[in-house]
């Protein structure tokens, strides 16, 4: 049993089939998402400015930068090899994830999310997502401070799932666009704004709900695997 755990713990990064694909997906997402906002030119923004909210663009750019910090640091935090080999760096990067990523990125996401120009359905999704992202992360920090490391890991896996849900959101946006575009003249009566709001709403909700469900499934699975191993040891 101990030997199996030791063997699992010592597994190289290339023997964990998700490490390299996850890193690749994060790099591709950031390479596509960030450049328009680094120009600081509002004309390059993919999000139109809501009426009567002149600070929106500046808050959006700050949100994108803090979100990127969260995404990169969280990739390292979840990597078992990095956690074990560099525990001090894990602690420092954990603080950067929380205080330089999730907290500012989530508060800004809350502010711009509540007035999203993409309609009421995505606004509700944005606000709930931001609150859960902040809440899960703060719960993870509290557990770490109390040295309750099993619970710390569980909350941080949920926080990680929500950080990465922005990527699955883009995947659902493509599926929703391909499915709904042919229905523009029928379901949406030719109204493009309605269609865009439907696509944004669907991809927003599906993005984080499915990722969070996957994280819960994974946590449940690893927990029941551990309990079965304990039962086998007892018997
Ligand atoms: C998990 C909590 C998050 C929330 C609640 C959130 C919320 C938002 C909101 C409200 C917008 C403006 C679009 C709209 O009005 O609907 C936005 C845009 C954006 N967010 Fe986030 N966000 C989150 C996480 C992240 C993360 C982790 C990143 C990583 C880089 C990120 C990157 C972006 C980018 C690049 C945009 C601009 C839209 C685009 O160019 O496609 N967000 N976000």
């Amino acid at each position: 049993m101990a030997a199996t755990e030791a063997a699992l713990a010592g597994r190289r990064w290339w023997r964990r089939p998700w490490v390299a694909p996850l890193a690749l997906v994060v790099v591709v997402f950031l390479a596509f998402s960030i450049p328009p906002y680094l120009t600081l030119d509002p004309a390059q923004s993919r999000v139109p400015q809501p009426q009567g909210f002149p600070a929106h663009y500046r808050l959006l750019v700050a949100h994108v930068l803090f979100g990127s910090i969260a995404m990169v640091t969280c990739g390292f935090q979840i990597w078992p090899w990095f956690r074990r080999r560099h525990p001090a760096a894990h602690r420092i990067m954990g603080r950067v994830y929380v205080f330089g990523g999730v907290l500012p990125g989530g508060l800004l996401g809350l502010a711009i999310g509540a007035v999203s120009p993409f309609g009421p359905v995505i606004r509700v999704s944005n606000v709930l997502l931001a609150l859960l992202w902040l809440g899960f992360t703060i719960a993870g920090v509290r557990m770490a401070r109390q040295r309750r490391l099993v619970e710390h890991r569980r909350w941080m896996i949920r926080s990680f799932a929500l950080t990465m849900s922005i990527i699955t959101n883009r995947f659902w946006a493509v599926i929703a666009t391909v499915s709904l575009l042919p229905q523009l003249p029928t379901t949406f009566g030719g109204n493009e704004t309605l269609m865009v709001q439907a696509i944004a709403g669907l991809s927003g909700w599906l993005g984080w709900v499915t990722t969070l469900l996957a994280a819960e499934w994974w946590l449940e699975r690893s927990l029941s695997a551990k309990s079965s191993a304990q039962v086998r040891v007892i018997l």
Side-chain angles (χ1 to χ4, degrees):
M1 172 66 195
T4 317
E5 272 181 9
L8 278 173
R11 261 203 276 172
R12 304 272 179 197
W13 63 267
W14 61 84
R15 308 262 321 262
R16 296 193 184 260
W18 53 268
V19 173
L22 178 69
L24 183 69
V25 168
V26 166
V27 169
V28 171
F29 173 81
L30 293 178
F32 172 78
S33 306
I34 308 238
Y37 300 98
L38 295 180
T39 63
L40 302 182
D41 173 8
Q44 306 283 318
S45 174
R46 298 191 180 112
V47 183
Q49 181 175 296
Q51 274 191 344
F53 192 0
H56 179 267
Y57 178 70
R58 270 169 282 154
L59 300 188
L60 176 63
V61 172
H63 163 77
V64 171
L65 295 178
F66 288 123
S68 307
I69 292 173
M71 197 172 267
V72 171
T73 47
C74 157
F76 279 97
Q77 292 303 91
I78 206 86
W79 183 9
W81 177 88
F82 182 79
R83 277 203 309 269
R84 260 190 330 275
R85 276 296 173 88
H86 304 285
H90 174 75
R91 278 194 292 276
I92 293 169
M93 213 173 275
R95 284 184 196 121
V96 178
Y97 173 67
V98 174
F99 298 105
V102 177
L103 291 188
L107 290 172
L108 289 161
L110 194 59
I112 56 173
V115 294
S116 171
F118 299 118
V121 179
I122 185 73
R123 277 183 212 140
V124 177
S125 165
N126 283 335
V127 168
L128 194 54
L129 169 59
L131 291 175
L132 289 176
W133 200 35
L134 292 165
F136 291 173
T137 311
I138 291 168
V141 172
R142 290 190 61 221
M143 293 301 119
R145 292 210 166 137
Q146 294 170 18
R147 309 300 300 158
R148 290 158 66 180
L149 295 184
V150 174
E151 282 120 314
H152 163 69
R153 186 170 161 266
R154 291 179 75 86
W155 285 114
M156 283 311 191
I157 285 174
R158 293 182 182 117
S159 170
F160 161 81
L162 294 189
T163 307
M164 295 300 168
S165 76
I166 298 308
I167 300 180
T168 46
N169 169 317
R170 304 309 194 253
F171 163 79
W172 289 114
V174 173
I175 307 254
T177 307
V178 171
S179 322
L180 295 183
L181 202 54
Q183 300 179 35
L184 177 58
T186 52
T187 310
F188 302 102
N191 186 329
E192 245 179 72
T193 307
L194 272 187
M195 188 190 69
V196 168
Q197 291 197 359
I199 292 169
L202 281 171
S203 51
W205 279 100
L206 284 170
W208 67 265
V209 171
T210 52
T211 317
L212 192 54
L213 284 175
E216 289 301 329
W217 170 80
W218 192 85
L219 282 171
E220 212 42 55
R221 193 171 144 263
S222 58
L223 197 74
S224 48
K226 277 201 187 101
S227 321
S228 312
Q230 275 163 2
V231 170
R232 273 200 297 277
V233 169
I234 293 164
L235 292 177

